[in-house]
């Protein structure tokens, strides 16, 4: 352990006084005080109190190459010295944006040959929405405006992003969302299929039923009104929801019947997370558009974009005229330079292949061992993403009372033990840097089990009835 920073309380006081955090109960955080992260290397972060913590979430699903890669720092420095900023408006561009666009299209499926740059995944999904509706207007079908997405999906927190996402708490706070967006059931077998109506539904039948729900929604809205279906290959922020094997083939069969675009949100799954450059490749999806961000630069600088398939791009180029959309920092030269170096390093070091052939299978074996824990109902993983379902009733899948906030409790205990593991309700999820070693996976699993033990013990205390003597 490093020497604690004597300025911790000063940082916390300034943070409390001036900083509003994302997705945070401001009052509760102010009373508790923020954890101050001061430095990082490899797969570890360090806080101002001297604790080293294994970052099982790669920041926010993004630090794929790990912390402290000097090559990425050097790429940013060199670009900032040569051309720190210029825009891509007014018929101009610059080498980093051009080279990054070419590299991305080289890595993407063969039918994708264009990219529109943004500053984040939220902006990427905003852009996608406008592109999709613009495409259909140019095709002479301006009424095709409905986007079908999934319940509990996450596509950002801008007005359009939260509208596309299917998270009710965000909708409740955001006021009326963007119109003509519908949501269908998610392929969450453990939560909505395994114990549905007291029966153990076959996961493959459940996957097909979710695809049937999509078709029913298309027919209800009318094919002539539906522009696109939007989904993540694996739902990330929704709880690392890995669909049954039957799901994507059934969805593809449904979409093949109708003239509807497929948009696959690759913000989390892109750039090696599932053991392929894109989750779309893993599931053989051939989408029309792919929003990207996060792992594109390993989180070192903010950048996102939309990879655009030939079907859409050719229409926008040949028939579209001016597309009235863009951002000040679209294709920012320093961000693009870092992203390009990040992709070059991942390519040269065989990171994606290592996740597919070695680390992903190894994590799957070790992670599955946690399924025997008394409060774990399911342990699932794919590539380097995984989830644990916390349950009070292992046999029947019953959850803990919501008042216990079991997931949040487990998350806080993880931090205390030296591990970042995120909670989504009572689902614990991981998404470690892609450079994690087998030994570090062993450490992650060991710390996760210790956290589960401590969580189970604490929950047992909280669930015990208070006797009259103890309150006297």
């Amino acid at each position: 352990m490093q020497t604690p920073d004597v300025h911790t309380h000063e940082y916390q006081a300034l943070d409390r006084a001036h900083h509003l955090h994302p997705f945070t109960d401001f009052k509760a955080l102010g009373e508790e005080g923020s954890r101050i992260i001061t430095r990082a290397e490899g797969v570890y972060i360090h806080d101002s109190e001297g604790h080293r913590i294994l970052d099982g979430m790669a920041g926010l699903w993004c630090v794929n190459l790990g912390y402290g890669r000097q090559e990425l720092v050097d790429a940013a420095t060199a670009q900032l010295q040569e051309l720190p900023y210029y825009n891509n408006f007014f018929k101009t561009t610059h080498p980093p944006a051009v080279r990054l666009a070419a590299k991305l299209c080289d890595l993407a499926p063969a039918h994708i040959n264009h990219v529109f740059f943004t500053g984040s995944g939220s902006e990427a999904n905003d852009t996608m929405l406008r592109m999709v509706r613009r495409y259909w207007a140019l095709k002479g079908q301006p009424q095709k405006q409905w986007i079908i997405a999934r319940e509990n999906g996450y596509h950002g927190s801008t007005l359009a992003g939260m509208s596309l996402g299917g998270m009710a708490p965000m909708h409740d706070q955001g006021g009326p969302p963007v119109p003509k967006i519908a949501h269908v059931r998610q392929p969450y077998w453990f939560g909505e299929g395994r114990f549905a109506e007291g029966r153990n539904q076959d996961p493959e039948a459940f996957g097909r039923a979710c695809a049937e729900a999509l078709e029913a929604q298309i027919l209800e809205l009318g094919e002539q009104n539906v522009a696109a279906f939007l989904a993540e290959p694996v739902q990330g922020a929704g709880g690392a929801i890995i669909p049954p094997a039957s799901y994507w083939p059934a969805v593809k069969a449904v979409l093949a019947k109708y003239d509807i675009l497929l948009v696959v949100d690759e913000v989390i799954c892109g750039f090696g997370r599932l053991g392929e450059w894109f989750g779309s490749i893993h599931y053989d999806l051939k989408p029309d558009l792919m929003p990207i961000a996060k792992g594109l630069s390993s989180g070192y600088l903010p950048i996102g974009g939309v990879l655009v398939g030939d079907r859409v791009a050719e229409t926008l180029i040949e028939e579209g005229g001016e597309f009235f959309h863009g951002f000040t920092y679209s294709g920012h030269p320093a961000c693009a330079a870092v992203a390009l170096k990040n992709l070059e390093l991942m390519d040269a070091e065989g990171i994606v292949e290592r996740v597919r052939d070695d680390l992903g299978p190894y994590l799957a074996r070790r992670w599955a061992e946690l399924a025997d824990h008394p409060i774990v109902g399911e342990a699932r993983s794919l590539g380097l993403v995984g989830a644990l379902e916390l349950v009070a009733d292992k046999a029947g899948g019953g959850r803990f009372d919501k008042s216990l906030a079991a997931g949040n409790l487990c998350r806080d205990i993880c931090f205390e033990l030296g591990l970042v593991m995120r909670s989504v309700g009572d689902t614990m999820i991981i998404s470690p840097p892609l450079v994690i070693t087998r030994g570090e996976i062993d450490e992650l699993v060991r710390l996760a089990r210790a956290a589960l033990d401590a969580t189970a013990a604490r929950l047992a205390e909280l669930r015990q009835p208070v006797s009259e003597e103890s309150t006297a």
Side-chain angles (χ1 to χ4, degrees):
M1 180 180 291
Q2 302 294 314
T3 303
D5 190 326
V6 296
H7 300 294
T8 294
H9 295 302
E10 295 177 14
Y11 286 130
Q12 290 177 329
L14 285 171
D15 189 68
R16 182 181 302 111
H18 303 294
H19 186 191
L20 298 177
H21 292 234
F23 284 87
T24 295
D25 181 328
F26 305 134
K27 181 179 180 181
L29 179 62
E31 293 171 350
E32 182 178 348
S34 301
R35 183 182 300 274
I36 311 299
I37 304 302
T38 57
R39 65 185 183 88
E41 82 286 328
V43 300
Y44 297 96
I45 57 175
H46 298 255
D47 70 16
S48 59
E49 293 295 300
H51 302 107
R52 187 179 83 156
I53 305 164
L54 197 162
D55 185 4
M57 282 304 302
L60 273 177
W61 316 85
C62 55
V63 189
N64 288 2
L65 270 186
Y67 298 98
R69 291 301 296 253
Q70 188 62 40
E71 303 96 325
L72 301 184
V73 176
D74 292 343
T77 301
Q79 186 57 50
L80 288 167
Q81 291 171 334
E82 182 172 337
L83 179 67
Y85 172 76
Y86 201 71
N87 62 73
N88 286 287
F89 291 55
F90 318 129
K91 302 181 182 179
T92 67
T93 190
H94 45 73
V98 173
R99 294 175 60 208
L100 178 59
K103 180 66 174 178
L104 282 166
C105 293
D106 181 57
L107 296 173
H111 70 287
I112 292 179
N113 292 288
H114 291 84
V115 58
F116 187 105
F117 288 117
T118 69
S120 68
S122 293
E123 289 179 3
N125 276 303
D126 284 29
T127 300
M128 175 278 298
L129 177 62
R130 293 204 61 199
M131 277 189 172
V132 164
R133 290 180 174 174
R134 176 64 174 157
Y135 167 81
W136 286 115
L138 292 171
K139 300 299 287 185
Q141 300 184 67
Q143 81 287 349
K144 284 176 78 74
Q145 294 209 358
W146 280 92
I147 311 291
I148 301 175
R150 296 192 300 207
E151 297 170 355
N152 197 38
Y154 183 81
H155 302 289
S157 60
T158 56
L159 184 61
M162 76 91 172
S163 300
L164 291 164
M167 296 188 167
M170 296 179 71
H171 291 183
D172 291 343
Q173 290 187 348
V178 173
K180 297 188 177 180
I181 296 173
H183 297 91
V184 294
R185 67 186 304 186
Q186 60 182 330
Y188 182 20
W189 176 69
F190 181 84
E192 300 180 9
R194 183 176 179 183
F195 300 108
E197 300 176 358
R199 56 191 173 84
N200 191 344
Q201 185 174 359
D202 174 71
E204 304 314 316
F206 176 76
R208 290 189 292 271
C210 291
E212 290 167 3
L214 169 61
E215 183 164 29
Q217 182 68 83
I218 292 170
L219 295 175
E220 179 181 338
L221 295 173
E223 176 192 359
Q224 72 280 6
N225 300 316
V226 179
F229 173 58
L230 165 67
E232 303 161 86
V234 168
Q235 283 167 249
I241 296 170
I242 302 165
S246 63
Y247 175 75
W248 276 116
V251 166
K252 287 170 61 179
V254 167
L255 294 178
K257 298 180 184 179
Y258 306 103
D259 193 15
I260 293 170
L261 298 176
L262 171 61
V263 182
V264 178
D265 185 331
E266 294 276 4
V267 171
I268 285 174
C269 294
F271 308 107
R273 180 60 51 192
L274 303 187
E276 298 287 353
W277 277 103
F278 299 99
S280 299
I281 297 174
H282 175 81
Y283 286 111
D284 187 29
L285 299 181
K286 297 181 176 61
D288 293 289
L289 301 100
M290 291 163 46
I292 56 173
K294 294 192 182 289
L296 172 56
S297 69
S298 281
Y300 278 57
L301 285 176
I303 187 169
V306 181
L307 290 168
V308 186
D310 294 340
R311 173 186 179 185
V312 174
E314 289 170 3
T315 297
L316 294 176
I317 293 167
E318 298 299 328
E319 305 173 30
E322 183 170 355
F323 182 45
F324 296 105
H325 179 78
F327 305 96
T328 300
Y329 300 117
S330 290
H332 186 287
C335 300
V338 170
L340 179 61
K341 177 57 68 174
N342 176 65
L343 298 180
E344 290 173 347
L345 289 170
M346 290 184 66
D347 207 357
E349 297 174 13
I351 299 295
V352 176
E353 293 80 5
R354 188 170 176 228
V355 171
R356 182 186 64 219
D357 300 332
D358 179 25
L359 296 176
Y362 187 73
L363 175 66
R365 292 195 298 273
R366 293 304 323 276
W367 196 246
E369 295 170 11
L370 297 174
D372 66 3
H373 197 278
I375 64 168
V376 173
E378 181 180 67
R380 59 179 179 268
S381 71
L382 176 62
L384 286 185
V385 62
L388 302 172
E389 299 284 0
L390 303 186
V391 294
D393 174 11
K394 196 173 177 73
R399 298 287 194 174
F400 290 99
D401 189 282
K402 288 185 178 180
S403 66
L404 297 174
N408 287 350
L409 174 63
C410 185
R411 176 201 61 199
D412 293 345
I413 289 172
C414 283
F415 258 115
E416 293 169 7
L417 296 177
L419 172 66
V420 176
M421 185 158 62
R422 181 175 173 179
S423 60
V424 177
D426 285 353
T427 304
M428 308 305 300
I429 58 178
I430 59 161
S431 173
L434 306 187
V435 295
I436 195 170
T437 65
R438 283 189 171 210
E440 289 162 346
I441 288 175
D442 292 339
E443 180 185 2
L444 189 159
V445 173
R446 176 181 62 79
L447 290 170
R449 184 175 288 278
L452 291 169
D453 289 342
T455 300
R458 180 62 179 144
L459 288 170
E461 294 174 0
L462 293 172
R463 296 170 75 190
Q464 288 295 324
V466 179
S467 67
E468 292 183 5
E469 291 182 1
S470 67
T471 59

